[in-house]
Amino acid sequence: MLRRCFVLLTVLSCLNLFLTTVTRAADQQKPNIIFIMADDLGYAEVGCYGQTKIKTPHIDQLAADGMKFTQAYAGCMVCQPSRSVLMTGQHTGHTAVRANDLNQLLYEEDKTVAEVLKSAGYATGCFGKWGLGYEGTPGRPNQKGFDQFTGQLLQVHAHFYYPFWIWRNEEKVMLPENENNQRGTYIQDLIHADAKSFIRQNSKQPFFAYLSYILPHVELVVPEESERPYRGKFPKREIKDPRPGYIGSEDGLTTFAGMVSRLDAHVGEVVKLLEELGIRDNTLIIFTSDNGGQGGNWKEMTDFFDGNAPLKGHKGTMYEGGLRVPFIASWPGKIAPGTTSDLQIAFWDMLPTFADVAHAKVPAGVDIDGISILPTLLGKGTQKKHDYLYWEYTKGTIRSRALRMGDWKAVQNRMNRPIELYNLKQDVGETKDLASQNPEQVKQMTEAMQQAHTEPRDFPQTLKPVGIKGYVK
């Protein structure tokens, strides 16, 4: 009898130890990371950054629940190099892709944040615009650390909301319902649905979801239910893309507002899903944009909504309106709600930050320009700061560049043009060029820009465009 009791107690003790171990393992599961990046969303095109005409309640709630950064910067002033910076942790003086150029792409030796997190046991998924390598090249997502990909490989393909195909991993999935000017599948919705499926499928393990959404980049089109709340509220203006094959809108302001609202709704659905799965508290969410709001043919639209206010310039310029972006971080129980940070950060900080969150190692033998901002997010420890932030756009003989050093900002729109100098603390709108009054400051920042630049990769001209909607002929 005593022997039976001893055996029973031993079994119960082992079972209790097993359950305790399992519970502790669950409690200690590495945090999930979701990085949501809008496309061409201006600094002030969401409510928590000052927008009054377009409603973004879900993004605003994300800010209320977490931390809003007021001096956060994209990797570049256009999409492709900005994404290269995000993936590699290197600013555009070092990263492989430094321009919107179909022939610039990541190579095998370029290590990405997805590869870093995958090595730490994370499931990894990318959903939306990629832009860093097309079919048959080493730069495509499944070769750069992503287990799952749904989206558009080339950035020009991601201009279209009713394309003829979409990529799922290495498979080109045809969409005949979008041919012959049909509007069967709004591709942002499909991308979003696959992103949510990835989160569901990997909710029991740590995951990294890179939601590289294409809203609200033109072309101007969105399903009617997103336009309906704004119908009749704005002046009716026809806004069309001059390029052939692009959809425009007879009520462009309403359409654009609807596109931003649809993006906001998708953000809300991601948060709701995390709550339903019981993993919201163990998930760091970051929301941002790949560059500033749109200019050119859409400048009147951006201006109407004060999309880049109070900043100068827009997408495609090295002024604040092209580089400074909304940036929100939310992590319940870890990031204090309703907080604001004026820390100067940039996309190249994401790789070391996410490695820090995941207790992973950054790539060995690679110069990473980023600094982990985890101390700021958690309000613990000492936060390192950048000596400067640097951007360049290099395509052939064309190069523009900018550098921020403390409150000073240097801008050189072309290498044969003079350097402009602004004090952003006193003049965030970059209205007063102070270069002539501060020659020593210009000299110091010029030297820093020269040191930050390395010679770009010599890319062979290999791309053979395909004559189907979404690729250029």
Side-chain angles (χ1 to χ4, degrees):
M1 182 70 179
L2 288 174
R3 184 177 179 183
R4 289 181 180 177
C5 289
F6 177 77
V7 171
L8 180 60
L9 288 172
T10 301
V11 170
L12 290 173
S13 177
C14 290
L15 180 60
N16 182 62
L17 179 62
F18 171 76
L19 292 174
T20 300
T21 302
V22 169
T23 301
R24 285 177 179 172
D27 291 342
Q28 295 172 0
Q29 179 173 305
K30 292 181 178 181
N32 309 307
I33 301 169
I34 299 179
F35 191 87
I36 307 174
M37 186 167 68
D39 196 336
D40 289 5
L41 183 75
Y43 180 79
E45 284 175 342
V46 292
C48 54
Y49 282 86
Q51 180 57 225
T52 60
K53 297 172 182 174
I54 304 173
K55 304 304 180 184
T56 56
H58 301 292
I59 296 170
D60 298 346
Q61 188 62 51
L62 205 62
D65 293 338
M67 181 176 291
K68 181 179 75 171
F69 286 78
T70 60
Q71 299 190 83
Y73 291 91
C76 195
M77 41 63 156
V78 290
C79 69
Q80 192 179 351
S82 193
R83 293 157 200 275
S84 182
V85 167
L86 174 66
M87 286 293 104
T88 65
Q90 298 175 309
H91 61 56
T92 39
H94 296 147
T95 198
V97 178
R98 306 187 191 186
N100 273 1
D101 183 343
L102 298 182
N103 289 292
Q104 293 192 27
L105 50 97
L106 296 180
Y107 283 4
E108 185 175 351
E109 61 266 26
D110 300 312
K111 300 305 177 185
T112 70
V113 63
E115 291 174 282
V116 169
L117 294 175
K118 187 175 175 66
S119 70
Y122 277 65
T124 55
C126 173
F127 304 89
K129 181 193 288 190
W130 176 242
L132 301 175
Y134 47 91
E135 59 268 37
T137 74
R140 59 196 191 275
N142 295 115
Q143 298 298 311
K144 303 311 300 176
F146 286 102
D147 300 318
Q148 187 171 335
F149 171 67
T150 299
Q152 294 136 315
L153 293 175
L154 289 177
Q155 69 271 17
V156 290
H157 191 209
H159 291 183
F160 299 97
Y161 287 91
Y162 294 99
F164 298 167
W165 76 80
I166 193 75
W167 286 97
R168 278 197 173 112
N169 296 322
E170 301 291 317
E171 181 185 2
K172 181 187 286 187
V173 179
M174 303 307 295
L175 302 171
E177 66 272 24
N178 288 345
E179 295 181 9
N180 300 317
N181 297 317
Q182 297 181 96
R183 299 184 184 181
T185 297
Y186 191 70
I187 207 62
Q188 167 64 32
D189 291 354
L190 186 152
I191 289 167
H192 177 58
D194 276 18
K196 291 191 295 181
S197 294
F198 171 82
I199 292 170
R200 286 192 197 94
Q201 292 165 5
N202 294 283
S203 61
K204 302 300 183 183
Q205 66 177 102
F207 63 81
F208 169 52
Y210 172 35
L211 310 188
S212 182
Y213 286 171
I214 60 176
L215 286 168
H217 191 293
V218 295
E219 54 187 358
L220 276 174
V221 62
V222 72
E224 167 62 23
E225 64 264 22
S226 293
E227 290 186 320
R228 195 174 299 124
Y230 298 104
R231 191 73 68 196
K233 292 187 176 182
F234 310 132
K236 193 169 184 179
R237 297 181 186 173
E238 183 177 29
I239 302 176
K240 290 189 175 182
D241 194 310
R243 295 168 291 185
Y246 284 73
I247 298 172
S249 174
E250 295 181 354
D251 193 3
L253 300 177
T254 295
T255 301
F256 181 77
M259 293 171 78
V260 175
S261 283
R262 200 172 193 87
L263 168 68
D264 178 74
H266 286 177
V267 171
E269 289 175 13
V270 169
V271 174
K272 182 179 179 181
L273 176 60
L274 296 174
E275 293 170 346
E276 291 173 351
L277 294 170
I279 58 175
R280 176 68 185 95
D281 289 352
N282 197 41
T283 304
L284 167 62
I285 300 177
I286 288 178
F287 174 84
T288 188
S289 177
D290 65 342
N291 46 245
Q294 300 165 83
N297 294 298
W298 307 278
K299 185 177 183 300
E300 65 167 319
M301 180 178 69
T302 303
D303 289 347
F304 176 83
F305 291 110
D306 292 323
N308 289 332
L311 311 176
K312 177 181 179 178
H314 44 74
K315 171 188 177 179
T317 73
M318 286 293 183
Y319 299 113
E320 293 292 284
L323 294 169
R324 195 182 294 207
V325 291
F327 192 100
I328 299 164
S330 176
W331 189 359
K334 299 292 193 300
I335 298 175
T339 50
T340 300
S341 174
D342 62 359
L343 182 69
Q344 295 172 23
I345 66 171
F347 275 12
W348 49 97
D349 294 325
M350 294 303 98
L351 187 150
T353 299
F354 294 165
D356 211 357
V357 169
H359 303 292
K361 294 181 179 180
V362 299
V366 178
D367 291 329
I368 300 297
D369 296 307
I371 295 173
S372 173
I373 65 168
L374 190 59
T376 293
L377 295 178
L378 301 182
K380 297 178 181 179
T382 302
Q383 177 64 62
K384 294 181 180 179
K385 296 182 179 180
H386 289 283
D387 294 330
Y388 59 78
L389 301 175
Y390 174 73
W391 303 267
E392 70 175 63
Y393 181 92
T394 300
K395 184 175 182 179
T397 59
I398 299 173
R399 189 158 110 234
S400 56
R401 58 184 183 171
L403 183 135
R404 177 159 187 186
M405 183 180 286
D407 292 328
W408 291 103
K409 170 85 173 292
V411 177
Q412 190 171 26
N413 290 309
R414 289 289 186 273
M415 296 301 289
N416 61 349
R417 296 182 186 177
I419 291 176
E420 303 166 19
L421 182 68
Y422 303 97
N423 187 309
L424 296 182
K425 185 175 183 179
Q426 300 172 356
D427 178 26
V428 71
E430 296 169 293
T431 62
K432 299 176 183 178
D433 182 0
L434 303 175
S436 60
Q437 296 102 298
N438 297 273
E440 288 301 315
Q441 187 68 41
V442 172
K443 179 181 177 182
Q444 180 185 5
M445 297 181 76
T446 301
E447 290 174 352
M449 286 193 287
Q450 291 169 343
Q451 293 171 1
H453 170 75
T454 58
E455 286 303 305
R457 180 178 289 163
D458 183 18
F459 291 96
Q461 302 298 299
T462 56
L463 182 65
K464 297 179 180 179
V466 181
I468 299 179
K469 184 177 182 180
Y471 282 18
V472 293
K473 294 185 179 179

